[in-house]
Amino acid sequence: MNNARTIMYIAHGGGPMPLLGDSAHQNMIDTLKVMAGKIAKPSAILLISAHFEANIPTLTSGAKPNLIYDYHGFPKAAYDIQYPCKGAPQLAQAVQQCLQSSGINVQKDPQRGFDHGMFVPLKLMFPDADVPCVQLSLDSSLDATKHLAMGQALASLDWENLLIIGSGFSFHNMAAFFSSDDSANQKNQTFETWLRNTLTNTNITEAQRTQLLANWHTAPEARFCHPREEHLLPLHVCYGAARKVSDELFACTVLSKQSSMFLWHV
Protein backbone atom coordinates (compact mmCIF):
# COMPACT_ATOMS: atom_id res chain seq x y z
CA MET A 1 0.00 0.00 0.00
CA ASN A 2 1.29 3.45 -0.91
CA ASN A 3 -0.72 6.05 0.96
CA ALA A 4 1.78 8.88 1.33
CA ARG A 5 -0.09 12.12 1.62
CA THR A 6 -0.07 15.69 2.83
CA ILE A 7 -2.78 17.02 5.12
CA MET A 8 -3.72 20.66 5.66
CA TYR A 9 -6.25 22.48 7.77
CA ILE A 10 -6.81 25.92 6.26
CA ALA A 11 -8.94 29.02 6.56
CA HIS A 12 -11.01 29.89 3.50
CA GLY A 13 -12.08 33.39 4.53
CA GLY A 14 -15.39 35.18 4.28
CA GLY A 15 -17.37 33.98 1.27
CA PRO A 16 -15.76 35.13 -2.01
CA MET A 17 -13.98 38.08 -0.40
CA PRO A 18 -10.46 36.61 -0.80
CA LEU A 19 -11.01 36.59 -4.57
CA LEU A 20 -12.46 40.11 -4.72
CA GLY A 21 -9.40 42.03 -3.55
CA ASP A 22 -10.43 42.44 0.08
CA SER A 23 -7.43 43.78 2.00
CA ALA A 24 -8.54 42.16 5.26
CA HIS A 25 -7.84 38.78 3.62
CA GLN A 26 -4.39 39.54 2.20
CA ASN A 27 -2.47 37.87 5.01
CA MET A 28 -4.60 34.73 4.62
CA ILE A 29 -4.14 34.76 0.83
CA ASP A 30 -0.37 35.03 1.20
CA THR A 31 -0.34 32.22 3.76
CA LEU A 32 -2.34 29.86 1.56
CA LYS A 33 0.07 30.46 -1.29
CA VAL A 34 3.03 29.76 0.99
CA MET A 35 1.44 26.50 2.13
CA ALA A 36 0.78 25.39 -1.45
CA GLY A 37 4.39 26.19 -2.32
CA LYS A 38 5.69 23.87 0.39
CA ILE A 39 4.37 20.69 -1.21
CA ALA A 40 4.73 18.83 -4.46
CA LYS A 41 1.77 19.03 -6.80
CA PRO A 42 -0.71 16.41 -5.55
CA SER A 43 -2.30 13.76 -7.74
CA ALA A 44 -5.72 14.59 -6.29
CA ILE A 45 -7.35 16.49 -3.45
CA LEU A 46 -9.88 15.24 -0.92
CA LEU A 47 -11.43 18.32 0.68
CA ILE A 48 -13.66 18.51 3.74
CA SER A 49 -15.56 21.81 3.63
CA ALA A 50 -17.36 23.55 6.48
CA HIS A 51 -20.11 24.33 3.96
CA PHE A 52 -21.14 20.76 3.19
CA GLU A 53 -23.13 18.82 5.78
CA ALA A 54 -25.23 15.68 5.36
CA ASN A 55 -27.11 13.24 7.57
CA ILE A 56 -25.01 10.51 5.97
CA PRO A 57 -21.47 11.66 5.11
CA THR A 58 -21.48 12.30 1.38
CA LEU A 59 -18.89 12.42 -1.38
CA THR A 60 -19.05 14.41 -4.59
CA SER A 61 -18.63 11.78 -7.29
CA GLY A 62 -19.35 13.62 -10.52
CA ALA A 63 -16.66 13.94 -13.19
CA LYS A 64 -17.27 17.65 -13.78
CA PRO A 65 -19.00 19.22 -10.75
CA ASN A 66 -20.48 22.68 -11.11
CA LEU A 67 -19.64 25.49 -8.72
CA ILE A 68 -22.13 26.34 -5.97
CA TYR A 69 -22.15 30.08 -5.23
CA ASP A 70 -23.35 29.52 -1.69
CA TYR A 71 -23.16 33.11 -0.49
CA HIS A 72 -25.41 36.13 -0.80
CA GLY A 73 -25.24 39.88 -1.24
CA PHE A 74 -21.91 40.19 -3.05
CA PRO A 75 -21.12 42.01 -6.32
CA LYS A 76 -21.80 40.32 -9.64
CA ALA A 77 -18.13 39.35 -9.94
CA ALA A 78 -18.61 36.94 -7.03
CA TYR A 79 -21.04 34.92 -9.15
CA ASP A 80 -18.82 34.96 -12.24
CA ILE A 81 -15.92 33.17 -10.52
CA GLN A 82 -14.80 30.12 -12.44
CA TYR A 83 -12.73 27.18 -11.27
CA PRO A 84 -13.02 24.38 -13.86
CA CYS A 85 -11.58 21.68 -11.64
CA LYS A 86 -12.46 18.10 -12.53
CA GLY A 87 -13.97 15.66 -10.14
CA ALA A 88 -12.38 12.30 -9.34
CA PRO A 89 -15.00 9.54 -9.38
CA GLN A 90 -12.43 6.81 -8.76
CA LEU A 91 -11.12 8.63 -5.68
CA ALA A 92 -14.70 9.04 -4.43
CA GLN A 93 -15.20 5.29 -4.82
CA ALA A 94 -11.96 4.54 -2.98
CA VAL A 95 -12.86 6.90 -0.13
CA GLN A 96 -16.33 5.35 0.16
CA GLN A 97 -14.86 1.85 0.39
CA CYS A 98 -12.25 3.01 2.91
CA LEU A 99 -14.81 4.60 5.22
CA GLN A 100 -17.28 1.76 4.91
CA SER A 101 -14.58 -0.78 5.79
CA SER A 102 -14.22 1.11 9.08
CA GLY A 103 -17.96 0.91 9.72
CA ILE A 104 -18.75 4.47 8.63
CA ASN A 105 -21.77 4.73 6.35
CA VAL A 106 -21.08 7.07 3.45
CA GLN A 107 -22.85 7.79 0.18
CA LYS A 108 -21.91 9.32 -3.17
CA ASP A 109 -23.69 12.19 -4.88
CA PRO A 110 -22.86 12.59 -8.60
CA GLN A 111 -24.90 15.81 -8.85
CA ARG A 112 -23.46 17.82 -5.95
CA GLY A 113 -21.13 20.64 -6.97
CA PHE A 114 -18.14 22.32 -5.36
CA ASP A 115 -18.95 24.98 -2.72
CA HIS A 116 -16.95 28.09 -1.90
CA GLY A 117 -15.12 26.30 0.89
CA MET A 118 -13.44 24.44 -1.97
CA PHE A 119 -13.14 26.78 -4.92
CA VAL A 120 -12.13 29.96 -3.07
CA PRO A 121 -8.99 28.56 -1.41
CA LEU A 122 -8.09 26.22 -4.26
CA LYS A 123 -8.26 29.04 -6.79
CA LEU A 124 -5.58 30.74 -4.69
CA MET A 125 -3.49 27.64 -4.01
CA PHE A 126 -3.81 25.79 -7.33
CA PRO A 127 -4.91 28.48 -9.80
CA ASP A 128 -4.57 26.24 -12.86
CA ALA A 129 -7.47 24.09 -11.60
CA ASP A 130 -5.58 21.02 -12.83
CA VAL A 131 -5.74 18.86 -9.70
CA PRO A 132 -8.92 16.74 -9.55
CA CYS A 133 -10.92 17.08 -6.35
CA VAL A 134 -13.52 15.26 -4.30
CA GLN A 135 -15.43 16.86 -1.45
CA LEU A 136 -16.42 14.90 1.65
CA SER A 137 -19.20 16.33 3.76
CA LEU A 138 -19.33 16.76 7.48
CA ASP A 139 -21.72 14.58 9.44
CA SER A 140 -24.64 16.86 10.29
CA SER A 141 -24.53 15.63 13.89
CA LEU A 142 -21.42 17.82 14.24
CA ASP A 143 -20.10 15.27 16.72
CA ALA A 144 -16.36 15.78 17.21
CA THR A 145 -15.64 12.11 17.93
CA LYS A 146 -17.33 11.02 14.69
CA HIS A 147 -15.15 13.39 12.69
CA LEU A 148 -11.99 12.19 14.38
CA ALA A 149 -13.08 8.64 13.47
CA MET A 150 -13.68 9.67 9.85
CA GLY A 151 -10.14 10.96 9.71
CA GLN A 152 -8.72 7.84 11.33
CA ALA A 153 -10.49 5.74 8.70
CA LEU A 154 -8.97 7.86 5.94
CA ALA A 155 -5.49 7.09 7.25
CA SER A 156 -5.71 3.69 5.53
CA LEU A 157 -6.77 5.13 2.15
CA ASP A 158 -4.49 3.79 -0.57
CA TRP A 159 -3.98 6.77 -2.91
CA GLU A 160 -0.53 7.97 -3.86
CA ASN A 161 0.36 11.65 -3.41
CA LEU A 162 -3.06 12.62 -2.08
CA LEU A 163 -3.64 16.01 -0.48
CA ILE A 164 -6.31 16.07 2.21
CA ILE A 165 -7.59 19.56 3.02
CA GLY A 166 -9.87 20.57 5.86
CA SER A 167 -11.32 23.91 4.80
CA GLY A 168 -12.84 25.92 7.63
CA PHE A 169 -11.78 28.65 10.01
CA SER A 170 -10.22 28.33 13.46
CA PHE A 171 -12.26 31.36 14.54
CA HIS A 172 -15.86 31.66 13.37
CA ASN A 173 -17.98 34.06 15.40
CA MET A 174 -19.61 36.10 12.66
CA ALA A 175 -20.65 39.02 14.87
CA ALA A 176 -17.19 39.30 16.39
CA PHE A 177 -15.51 39.60 12.98
CA PHE A 178 -17.00 43.06 12.66
CA SER A 179 -16.52 44.09 16.28
CA SER A 180 -13.72 46.27 17.59
CA ASP A 181 -14.34 45.02 21.12
CA ASP A 182 -11.01 44.27 22.80
CA SER A 183 -12.58 41.44 24.80
CA ALA A 184 -13.48 39.66 21.55
CA ASN A 185 -9.87 39.87 20.42
CA GLN A 186 -8.69 38.55 23.77
CA LYS A 187 -11.10 35.61 23.61
CA ASN A 188 -9.98 34.91 20.05
CA GLN A 189 -6.33 34.87 21.16
CA THR A 190 -7.07 32.67 24.18
CA PHE A 191 -8.68 29.95 22.08
CA GLU A 192 -6.01 30.19 19.37
CA THR A 193 -3.33 29.68 22.02
CA TRP A 194 -5.11 26.55 23.25
CA LEU A 195 -5.58 25.22 19.70
CA ARG A 196 -1.99 25.85 18.66
CA ASN A 197 -0.66 24.18 21.78
CA THR A 198 -2.97 21.21 21.30
CA LEU A 199 -1.76 20.58 17.74
CA THR A 200 1.94 21.42 18.13
CA ASN A 201 2.93 20.34 21.66
CA THR A 202 5.28 17.37 21.36
CA ASN A 203 4.85 16.57 25.07
CA ILE A 204 1.21 15.58 24.51
CA THR A 205 0.56 11.95 23.54
CA GLU A 206 -1.70 11.24 20.57
CA ALA A 207 -4.28 9.73 22.91
CA GLN A 208 -4.25 12.96 24.94
CA ARG A 209 -4.40 15.10 21.79
CA THR A 210 -7.36 13.10 20.51
CA GLN A 211 -9.17 13.54 23.82
CA LEU A 212 -8.52 17.30 23.86
CA LEU A 213 -9.97 17.65 20.36
CA ALA A 214 -12.93 15.43 21.19
CA ASN A 215 -13.67 17.77 24.12
CA TRP A 216 -12.74 20.96 22.28
CA HIS A 217 -15.89 22.70 23.56
CA THR A 218 -14.43 22.72 27.08
CA ALA A 219 -11.39 24.73 25.96
CA PRO A 220 -11.19 28.36 27.11
CA GLU A 221 -13.47 30.60 25.01
CA ALA A 222 -14.31 27.71 22.71
CA ARG A 223 -17.99 28.50 22.37
CA PHE A 224 -17.35 32.19 21.88
CA CYS A 225 -15.03 31.41 19.00
CA HIS A 226 -17.29 28.69 17.61
CA PRO A 227 -20.97 29.23 18.48
CA ARG A 228 -21.50 26.46 15.91
CA GLU A 229 -18.62 24.12 15.23
CA GLU A 230 -18.86 23.40 11.51
CA HIS A 231 -15.78 25.51 10.70
CA LEU A 232 -13.64 23.72 13.27
CA LEU A 233 -14.60 20.11 12.53
CA PRO A 234 -12.64 19.81 9.27
CA LEU A 235 -9.62 20.05 11.58
CA HIS A 236 -10.80 16.96 13.45
CA VAL A 237 -10.91 14.97 10.21
CA CYS A 238 -7.42 16.22 9.33
CA TYR A 239 -5.96 15.33 12.69
CA GLY A 240 -7.66 11.93 12.65
CA ALA A 241 -6.02 11.19 9.30
CA ALA A 242 -2.61 12.40 10.51
CA ARG A 243 -2.68 11.19 14.15
CA LYS A 244 0.52 13.07 14.90
CA VAL A 245 1.72 16.45 16.03
CA SER A 246 1.44 19.10 13.32
CA ASP A 247 4.60 19.50 11.26
CA GLU A 248 4.05 23.20 10.73
CA LEU A 249 1.80 25.92 12.13
CA PHE A 250 0.79 28.94 10.06
CA ALA A 251 -0.62 31.86 12.01
CA CYS A 252 -2.35 34.64 10.12
CA THR A 253 -4.81 37.48 10.57
CA VAL A 254 -8.16 37.38 8.78
CA LEU A 255 -10.82 40.10 9.16
CA SER A 256 -8.83 41.44 12.13
CA LYS A 257 -8.92 38.09 13.94
CA GLN A 258 -6.20 35.54 14.57
CA SER A 259 -6.49 32.28 12.66
CA SER A 260 -4.41 29.11 12.66
CA MET A 261 -3.62 26.70 9.83
CA PHE A 262 -1.76 23.41 10.14
CA LEU A 263 0.28 21.18 7.85
CA TRP A 264 1.15 17.48 8.23
CA HIS A 265 3.33 15.19 6.13
CA VAL A 266 2.28 11.57 6.63
Side-chain angles (χ1 to χ4, degrees):
M1 183 171 68
N2 188 341
N3 62 346
R5 79 278 312 274
T6 304
I7 302 170
M8 297 180 178
Y9 172 70
I10 63 170
H12 59 240
M17 294 170 71
L19 302 180
L20 300 178
D22 180 67
S23 61
H25 284 82
Q26 191 59 52
N27 189 208
M28 187 200 83
I29 292 167
D30 294 342
T31 304
L32 288 176
K33 291 179 178 179
V34 167
M35 292 179 76
K38 285 183 171 285
I39 67 169
K41 183 179 176 181
S43 64
I45 296 171
L46 175 63
L47 186 139
I48 302 93
S49 168
H51 295 281
F52 185 15
E53 299 176 27
N55 290 334
I56 298 173
T58 301
L59 293 151
T60 60
S61 59
K64 295 182 179 180
N66 295 321
L67 299 190
I68 304 171
Y69 301 106
D70 52 340
Y71 39 70
H72 307 282
F74 290 95
K76 181 178 181 297
Y79 306 94
D80 293 334
I81 293 168
Q82 297 298 313
Y83 191 71
C85 174
K86 293 181 180 179
Q90 290 181 325
L91 175 58
Q93 177 67 22
V95 173
Q96 183 183 44
Q97 292 175 346
C98 177
L99 292 174
Q100 287 180 339
S101 68
S102 293
I104 298 171
N105 190 18
V106 61
Q107 62 188 9
K108 295 185 295 184
D109 184 347
Q111 303 303 319
R112 211 270 180 182
F114 293 141
D115 60 61
H116 79 271
M118 177 276 195
F119 68 79
V120 169
L122 292 197
K123 192 171 178 70
L124 295 167
M125 300 171 77
F126 303 99
D128 294 334
D130 58 352
V131 181
C133 184
V134 169
Q135 281 195 230
L136 169 63
S137 79
L138 298 175
D139 185 305
S140 59
S141 69
L142 302 184
D143 180 272
T145 301
K146 286 185 178 181
H147 291 85
L148 288 163
M150 286 168 62
Q152 289 169 4
L154 291 172
S156 63
L157 179 64
D158 186 8
W159 200 275
E160 186 175 0
N161 194 25
L162 178 68
L163 172 59
I164 298 176
I165 295 179
S167 177
F169 224 143
S170 64
F171 178 87
H172 200 254
N173 181 319
M174 293 300 291
F177 275 127
F178 305 100
S179 169
S180 58
D181 183 2
D182 283 343
S183 69
N185 293 333
Q186 291 169 3
K187 291 174 181 178
N188 167 216
Q189 188 59 62
T190 296
F191 181 73
E192 291 298 318
T193 298
W194 175 87
L195 189 65
R196 294 170 188 179
N197 181 65
T198 297
L199 272 297
T200 64
N201 188 340
T202 57
N203 294 319
I204 297 175
T205 68
E206 299 318 314
Q208 290 170 329
R209 207 181 318 276
T210 299
Q211 195 63 30
L212 285 166
L213 289 170
N215 296 315
W216 71 272
H217 55 280
T218 66
E221 308 301 347
R223 276 300 179 191
F224 175 82
C225 295
H226 291 279
R228 191 173 187 273
E229 53 266 53
E230 80 286 346
H231 276 72
L232 185 66
L233 288 176
L235 172 63
H236 290 66
V237 182
C238 288
Y239 171 71
R243 203 92 199 306
K244 57 176 272 190
V245 68
S246 173
D247 290 303
E248 197 161 355
L249 160 68
F250 298 83
C252 65
T253 302
V254 190
L255 293 168
S256 301
K257 295 295 182 288
Q258 292 297 304
S259 182
S260 301
M261 307 192 220
F262 302 93
L263 171 66
W264 294 264
H265 299 289
V266 181

